[in-house]
Amino acid sequence: MLQAEVEETIKRIQSQKGVQGIIIVNAEGIPIKSTLDNSSTVQYAGNVHQLLMKARGVVRDIDPQNDLTFLRVRSKKNEIMIAPGKEIIQKPKQM
Amino acid sequence: MQPALEHQEEKDSQKEEEEAPPHELTEEEKQQILHSEEFVTFFDHSSRIVERALSEQVDVFFDYSGRDLQDKEGRHLSRLVTYPELLVASYSSNEDAPHEPDGVALVWNMKYKKTTPEYVFHCQSAVMSAAFAQFHPNLVVGGTYSGQIVLWDNRSNKRTPVQRTPLSASAHTHPVYCVNVVGTQNAHNLISISTDGKMCSWSLDMLPHLELVFKQSKSVAVTSMSFPLGDVNNFVVGSEDGSVYTACRHGSKAGISEMFEGHHGPITGLDCHTAAGPVDFSHLFVTSSFDWTVKLWSTKNNKPLYSFEDNSDYVYDVMWSPTHPALFACVDGVGHLDLWNLNNETEVPTASVTVEGNPALNRVRWAHSGREVAVGDSEGQVHIYDVGEQISVPRQDEWTRLRTLSKIQLNEVLQLWALKHIYSFSCSKSQCRGRTSGRLFACVDGVGHLDLWNLNNETEVQKSPRNII
């Protein structure tokens, strides 16, 4: 995928019927990009980050060789889809 | 109901600083991350998954009882929904399990290939006919061997009926083979006819009570009943004596009006024409009988218009396609499902399939879409068939072509078609008499050999021998 396609893809997903918003966060749960307003972004980012950490912990706890690949939170009114990136435990600082 | 979706992605910061990470990122930092190669790789991978997940049509969480649509006070929000994927089939008793109740009706979900039904309903007497109560998506109506009409509700936790009609002389005292809900949202009735010819009309409005208003008709052993499209007063019944009767519910001549003779054996199935289009064929109906034939009639003639004699066993059921005006399906006692297209050919079926093992096929029903056919057999199995587009989808001229019924010629057909077996449900061994309501669900049909009639070539029409595929 090219850099230009990233923007296009975000727009395309956002415009699909039923999609309320897209948020991209980093490993600490800090939003990098969002199609929602600021307060919603912060609310979702904080909550989901915690949930993701917990879910990942569950999976790893049951089987340390396993890892979380996708999380879907289905509620009465809507659904949150969470696609985690690869977790890097440690990366040496580039000199 | 489509869920509103929100998509969230998480990614690792690739350039992790050793000092404490900032609580907020600057715009520059954000752009740096977004433009990094690692991010693009991650996004490429994740966005694919998310787009696939977003495009899923299937909603496994759906609650057919509608509990999730209740508002805070527990009232049901009104819905005018129907569920074409649901199918109800009633079964006679299971010889292998004598302690189970005699009456069983199962609601199957055709969207998912699960081997268990959505809902299981019981009652004490064998259920001869079952249908979804049109305008009441939670209710299933059953006509039983004892003459009782029972009502099941998928909101209740019980498998037994929530309502039963009284077993009295004022209601039915003979088996009820036909139940049908006719009318409109605001004015509808449940019509039931028993084998002694008594027709009863019930009100479903004042739920949970079934209020009885009935008309006595002439003593006719009714086996099948159908209302012409759009008609709530006049209807047609077939009987054990091989005759067809027209009747009406209201008016000075309420009851049996006319008698049409034609079949030499009990009538097993009867269906009025339903495919609405530029030409009105609502006066046409088809009947199936033990006399090995299917006949085409008009309510304007007391003799059959046409007799289809391709079968060599009892024909157990027949039904018009809900979308194609010249197409109907019939099933017989040796496992054949035949599709007849009157605009193609009237001597032999346009398409035919045999169920493996040749069980007797007791019921046939078209899906509301006209693209699938359901068949119930004597082994307790319900089979669903997909009907190819070339057969099931009518062209613009089908209605006008059908109008020249009196001069039916063999028309050239270029296409090959296919009946593909999708899947079959099975139940414990018992006789299966399945029925779907005209409005709410699709029907299934059987598996087996595929007979192809290959008519090619525009100038020359060949009736080639059946090619088995």
Side-chain angles (χ1 to χ4, degrees), chain B residues 387-432:
Chain B
V387 182
E389 254 181 58
Q390 305 91 323
I391 299 189
S392 59
V393 178
R395 295 186 298 246
Q396 301 281 26
D397 61 349
E398 303 283 1
W399 280 263
T400 44
R401 283 168 72 191
L402 188 62
R403 198 160 40 184
T404 58
L405 205 58
S406 55
K407 294 184 187 139
I408 291 174
Q409 318 257 347
L410 202 59
N411 292 306
E412 49 269 25
V413 171
L414 290 176
Q415 312 97 323
L416 285 180
W417 46 265
L419 285 181
K420 289 183 300 194
H421 180 209
I422 301 178
Y423 49 89
S424 64
F425 299 120
S426 75
C427 185
S428 50
K429 283 200 178 176
S430 55
Q431 285 236 336
C432 175

Coordinates of all heavy atoms in Angstrom, one line a residue, chain B residues 387-432:
Chain B
V387 N -32.9 -22.2 -7.3 CA -33.4 -22.3 -8.7 C -32.6 -21.3 -9.6 O -32.6 -20.1 -9.3 CB -34.9 -22.1 -8.8 CG1 -35.4 -22.3 -10.3 CG2 -35.6 -23.0 -7.9
G388 N -32.0 -21.8 -10.7 CA -31.2 -21.0 -11.5 C -32.0 -19.8 -12.1 O -33.2 -19.9 -12.3
E389 N -31.3 -18.7 -12.3 CA -31.9 -17.5 -12.8 C -32.7 -17.7 -14.1 O -33.7 -17.1 -14.3 CB -30.8 -16.4 -13.1 CG -30.8 -15.4 -12.0 CD -29.7 -14.3 -12.4 OE1 -29.8 -13.8 -13.5 OE2 -28.8 -14.2 -11.5
Q390 N -32.1 -18.5 -15.0 CA -32.8 -18.7 -16.3 C -34.2 -19.2 -16.1 O -35.0 -19.0 -17.0 CB -32.0 -19.7 -17.1 CG -30.5 -19.3 -17.3 CD -29.7 -20.0 -16.2 OE1 -30.1 -20.1 -15.1 NE2 -28.5 -20.4 -16.6
I391 N -34.4 -20.0 -15.1 CA -35.8 -20.5 -14.8 C -36.6 -19.6 -14.0 O -37.8 -19.4 -14.2 CB -35.7 -21.9 -14.2 CG1 -34.9 -22.8 -15.0 CG2 -37.1 -22.4 -13.9 CD1 -35.0 -24.2 -14.5
S392 N -36.0 -19.1 -12.9 CA -36.8 -18.5 -11.8 C -37.2 -17.1 -12.1 O -38.2 -16.6 -11.6 CB -36.1 -18.6 -10.5 OG -34.8 -17.9 -10.6
V393 N -36.3 -16.4 -12.8 CA -36.6 -14.9 -13.0 C -37.4 -14.7 -14.3 O -37.0 -15.1 -15.4 CB -35.2 -14.2 -13.1 CG1 -35.5 -12.7 -13.4 CG2 -34.4 -14.3 -11.9
P394 N -38.6 -14.1 -14.2 CA -39.4 -14.0 -15.4 C -38.9 -12.8 -16.3 O -38.4 -11.8 -15.7 CB -40.8 -13.6 -14.8 CG -40.5 -13.0 -13.5 CD -39.2 -13.6 -13.0
R395 N -39.1 -13.0 -17.6 CA -38.8 -11.9 -18.5 C -40.0 -11.0 -18.6 O -41.1 -11.4 -18.1 CB -38.3 -12.4 -19.8 CG -37.0 -13.2 -19.8 CD -36.6 -13.6 -21.2 NE -37.6 -14.4 -21.8 CZ -37.3 -15.7 -22.1 NH1 -36.2 -16.2 -21.9 NH2 -38.3 -16.4 -22.8
Q396 N -39.8 -9.9 -19.3 CA -40.9 -8.9 -19.4 C -42.2 -9.5 -20.0 O -43.3 -9.2 -19.7 CB -40.5 -7.7 -20.2 CG -39.3 -7.0 -19.7 CD -39.7 -6.0 -18.5 OE1 -40.7 -6.3 -17.9 NE2 -38.9 -5.0 -18.4
D397 N -41.9 -10.4 -21.0 CA -43.0 -10.9 -21.8 C -43.7 -12.1 -21.3 O -44.6 -12.7 -21.9 CB -42.5 -11.1 -23.2 CG -41.5 -12.2 -23.3 OD1 -41.0 -12.6 -22.2 OD2 -41.1 -12.7 -24.3
E398 N -43.3 -12.6 -20.1 CA -43.9 -13.8 -19.6 C -45.4 -13.7 -19.4 O -46.1 -14.7 -19.7 CB -43.3 -14.2 -18.3 CG -41.8 -14.4 -18.2 CD -41.3 -15.7 -18.9 OE1 -42.1 -16.5 -19.4 OE2 -40.1 -15.9 -18.9
W399 N -45.9 -12.6 -19.0 CA -47.3 -12.4 -18.7 C -48.1 -12.5 -20.1 O -49.1 -13.1 -20.1 CB -47.6 -11.1 -18.0 CG -47.3 -11.2 -16.5 CD1 -48.2 -11.5 -15.5 CD2 -46.0 -11.1 -15.9 NE1 -47.6 -11.5 -14.3 CE2 -46.2 -11.3 -14.5 CE3 -44.7 -10.8 -16.3 CZ2 -45.2 -11.2 -13.5 CZ3 -43.7 -10.8 -15.4 CH2 -44.0 -11.0 -14.0
T400 N -47.6 -11.8 -21.1 CA -48.3 -11.8 -22.3 C -48.3 -13.1 -23.0 O -49.2 -13.6 -23.7 CB -47.8 -10.7 -23.3 OG1 -46.4 -10.7 -23.2 CG2 -48.3 -9.3 -22.8
R401 N -47.2 -13.8 -22.8 CA -47.0 -15.1 -23.5 C -48.0 -16.1 -22.8 O -48.6 -17.0 -23.5 CB -45.6 -15.6 -23.3 CG -44.7 -15.0 -24.3 CD -43.2 -15.3 -24.0 NE -42.9 -16.7 -24.2 CZ -41.8 -17.3 -23.8 NH1 -40.9 -16.6 -23.1 NH2 -41.5 -18.5 -24.1
L402 N -48.2 -16.0 -21.5 CA -49.1 -16.9 -20.8 C -50.5 -16.7 -21.2 O -51.3 -17.6 -21.2 CB -48.9 -16.7 -19.3 CG -49.6 -17.8 -18.4 CD1 -49.1 -19.2 -18.7 CD2 -49.5 -17.4 -17.0
R403 N -50.8 -15.5 -21.7 CA -52.2 -15.2 -22.0 C -52.7 -16.0 -23.2 O -53.8 -16.3 -23.3 CB -52.3 -13.7 -22.4 CG -53.7 -13.2 -22.3 CD -53.8 -11.7 -22.2 NE -52.9 -11.0 -22.9 CZ -52.8 -9.7 -22.9 NH1 -53.5 -9.0 -22.1 NH2 -51.9 -9.0 -23.6
T404 N -51.8 -16.4 -24.1 CA -52.2 -17.3 -25.2 C -52.2 -18.7 -24.8 O -51.6 -19.6 -25.5 CB -51.3 -17.0 -26.4 OG1 -49.9 -17.3 -26.0 CG2 -51.4 -15.6 -26.8
L405 N -52.8 -19.0 -23.6 CA -52.7 -20.3 -23.1 C -53.3 -21.4 -24.0 O -52.9 -22.5 -24.0 CB -53.4 -20.3 -21.7 CG -53.0 -21.4 -20.7 CD1 -51.5 -21.2 -20.4 CD2 -53.8 -21.1 -19.4
S406 N -54.3 -21.0 -24.7 CA -55.1 -21.9 -25.5 C -54.3 -22.4 -26.6 O -54.5 -23.5 -27.2 CB -56.4 -21.3 -26.0 OG -56.1 -20.1 -26.7
K407 N -53.3 -21.7 -27.0 CA -52.5 -22.1 -28.2 C -51.1 -22.3 -27.8 O -50.1 -21.7 -28.3 CB -52.5 -21.1 -29.3 CG -53.9 -20.9 -29.9 CD -53.9 -19.9 -31.0 CE -55.3 -19.6 -31.5 NZ -55.5 -18.2 -31.8
I408 N -50.9 -23.2 -26.8 CA -49.5 -23.4 -26.3 C -48.7 -24.1 -27.3 O -49.0 -25.2 -27.7 CB -49.6 -24.1 -25.0 CG1 -50.2 -23.2 -23.9 CG2 -48.2 -24.5 -24.5 CD1 -50.4 -23.8 -22.6
Q409 N -47.6 -23.5 -27.7 CA -46.7 -24.2 -28.6 C -45.4 -24.4 -27.9 O -45.1 -23.8 -26.9 CB -46.4 -23.3 -29.8 CG -47.6 -22.6 -30.3 CD -48.1 -23.3 -31.6 OE1 -47.3 -24.1 -32.2 NE2 -49.3 -22.9 -32.1
L410 N -44.6 -25.2 -28.4 CA -43.3 -25.4 -27.9 C -42.4 -24.3 -28.3 O -42.3 -24.0 -29.5 CB -42.7 -26.7 -28.4 CG -41.6 -27.4 -27.6 CD1 -42.2 -27.6 -26.2 CD2 -41.2 -28.6 -28.3
N411 N -41.9 -23.6 -27.3 CA -41.0 -22.4 -27.7 C -39.6 -22.8 -27.6 O -39.2 -23.6 -26.8 CB -41.3 -21.3 -26.7 CG -42.7 -20.7 -26.9 OD1 -43.0 -20.3 -28.0 ND2 -43.5 -20.7 -25.9
E412 N -38.8 -22.2 -28.4 CA -37.4 -22.5 -28.3 C -36.8 -21.9 -27.1 O -37.0 -20.7 -26.7 CB -36.7 -22.0 -29.6 CG -37.0 -20.6 -30.0 CD -38.1 -20.5 -30.9 OE1 -39.0 -21.4 -30.9 OE2 -38.2 -19.5 -31.6
V413 N -36.0 -22.6 -26.4 CA -35.3 -22.2 -25.3 C -33.8 -22.4 -25.4 O -33.4 -23.5 -25.8 CB -35.8 -22.9 -24.0 CG1 -35.0 -22.6 -22.8 CG2 -37.3 -22.6 -23.7
L414 N -33.1 -21.4 -25.2 CA -31.6 -21.6 -25.4 C -30.8 -22.0 -24.2 O -29.7 -22.4 -24.3 CB -31.1 -20.3 -26.1 CG -31.5 -20.0 -27.5 CD1 -30.9 -18.7 -27.9 CD2 -31.0 -21.1 -28.4
Q415 N -31.4 -21.7 -23.1 CA -30.5 -21.8 -21.9 C -30.5 -23.2 -21.3 O -31.4 -23.9 -21.4 CB -30.9 -20.8 -20.8 CG -31.2 -19.4 -21.3 CD -32.6 -19.2 -21.5 OE1 -33.3 -20.1 -22.0 NE2 -33.1 -18.0 -21.1
L416 N -29.4 -23.4 -20.7 CA -29.3 -24.6 -19.8 C -29.6 -24.0 -18.4 O -29.3 -22.9 -18.2 CB -27.9 -25.2 -19.8 CG -27.5 -26.0 -21.0 CD1 -26.1 -26.5 -20.9 CD2 -28.5 -27.2 -21.2
W417 N -30.1 -24.8 -17.6 CA -30.3 -24.3 -16.3 C -29.8 -25.3 -15.3 O -29.4 -26.4 -15.6 CB -31.8 -24.1 -16.1 CG -32.6 -25.3 -16.5 CD1 -33.1 -25.5 -17.8 CD2 -32.8 -26.5 -15.9 NE1 -33.7 -26.7 -17.9 CE2 -33.5 -27.4 -16.7 CE3 -32.4 -27.0 -14.6 CZ2 -33.8 -28.7 -16.3 CZ3 -32.8 -28.3 -14.2 CH2 -33.5 -29.1 -15.1
A418 N -29.8 -24.9 -14.0 CA -29.3 -25.8 -13.0 C -30.1 -25.7 -11.8 O -30.4 -24.6 -11.3 CB -27.8 -25.6 -12.8
L419 N -30.4 -26.8 -11.1 CA -30.9 -26.8 -9.8 C -29.8 -27.2 -8.9 O -29.4 -28.4 -9.0 CB -32.1 -27.7 -9.7 CG -33.4 -27.3 -10.3 CD1 -34.5 -28.4 -10.0 CD2 -33.9 -26.0 -9.7
K420 N -29.4 -26.3 -8.1 CA -28.2 -26.7 -7.2 C -28.7 -27.0 -5.8 O -29.5 -26.3 -5.2 CB -27.2 -25.6 -7.1 CG -26.5 -25.4 -8.4 CD -25.4 -24.3 -8.2 CE -26.1 -23.0 -7.8 NZ -25.2 -21.9 -8.0
H421 N -28.3 -28.1 -5.3 CA -28.6 -28.5 -3.9 C -27.8 -27.6 -3.0 O -26.6 -27.6 -3.0 CB -28.3 -29.9 -3.7 CG -28.7 -30.4 -2.3 ND1 -28.0 -31.4 -1.7 CD2 -29.6 -29.9 -1.4 CE1 -28.5 -31.5 -0.5 NE2 -29.5 -30.7 -0.3
I422 N -28.5 -26.8 -2.2 CA -27.7 -26.0 -1.2 C -27.4 -26.8 0.0 O -26.3 -27.1 0.3 CB -28.5 -24.8 -0.8 CG1 -28.9 -23.9 -2.0 CG2 -27.7 -24.0 0.2 CD1 -29.8 -22.8 -1.6
Y423 N -28.4 -27.2 0.7 CA -28.1 -28.0 1.8 C -29.4 -28.6 2.3 O -30.5 -28.2 1.8 CB -27.5 -27.2 3.0 CG -28.2 -26.0 3.3 CD1 -29.3 -25.9 4.2 CD2 -27.8 -24.8 2.7 CE1 -29.9 -24.7 4.4 CE2 -28.5 -23.6 2.9 CZ -29.5 -23.6 3.8 OH -30.2 -22.4 4.1
S424 N -29.4 -29.5 3.2 CA -30.7 -30.1 3.7 C -30.7 -30.1 5.2 O -29.6 -30.2 5.8 CB -30.9 -31.5 3.1 OG -29.9 -32.3 3.6
F425 N -31.8 -30.0 5.7 CA -32.0 -30.1 7.2 C -32.4 -31.5 7.5 O -33.0 -32.1 6.7 CB -33.1 -29.2 7.7 CG -32.9 -27.8 7.4 CD1 -33.8 -27.1 6.7 CD2 -31.8 -27.1 8.0 CE1 -33.6 -25.7 6.4 CE2 -31.6 -25.8 7.8 CZ -32.5 -25.1 7.0
S426 N -32.1 -32.0 8.6 CA -32.7 -33.3 8.9 C -33.3 -33.2 10.3 O -32.9 -32.4 11.2 CB -31.8 -34.4 8.8 OG -30.8 -34.4 9.8
C427 N -34.2 -34.1 10.6 CA -34.8 -34.2 11.9 C -34.9 -35.6 12.2 O -34.6 -36.5 11.4 CB -36.2 -33.5 11.8 SG -37.1 -33.4 13.3
S428 N -35.4 -36.0 13.4 CA -35.6 -37.4 13.7 C -36.6 -38.0 12.7 O -37.5 -37.3 12.3 CB -36.0 -37.6 15.1 OG -37.0 -36.8 15.4
K429 N -36.6 -39.2 12.5 CA -37.4 -39.8 11.4 C -38.9 -39.7 11.7 O -39.3 -40.1 12.8 CB -37.1 -41.3 11.3 CG -35.8 -41.5 10.6 CD -35.7 -42.9 10.0 CE -34.4 -43.0 9.2 NZ -34.1 -44.3 8.7
S430 N -39.5 -39.0 10.9 CA -41.0 -38.9 11.1 C -41.5 -38.4 9.8 O -40.8 -37.9 8.9 CB -41.3 -37.9 12.2 OG -40.7 -36.7 12.0
Q431 N -42.8 -38.5 9.6 CA -43.4 -38.0 8.4 C -43.4 -36.5 8.5 O -43.5 -35.9 9.5 CB -44.9 -38.4 8.4 CG -45.1 -39.8 8.1 CD -46.1 -39.9 6.9 OE1 -46.9 -39.0 6.7 NE2 -46.0 -41.0 6.1
C432 N -43.1 -35.9 7.4 CA -42.9 -34.4 7.4 C -44.0 -33.8 6.6 O -44.1 -34.1 5.4 CB -41.6 -34.1 6.9 SG -41.3 -32.3 6.7

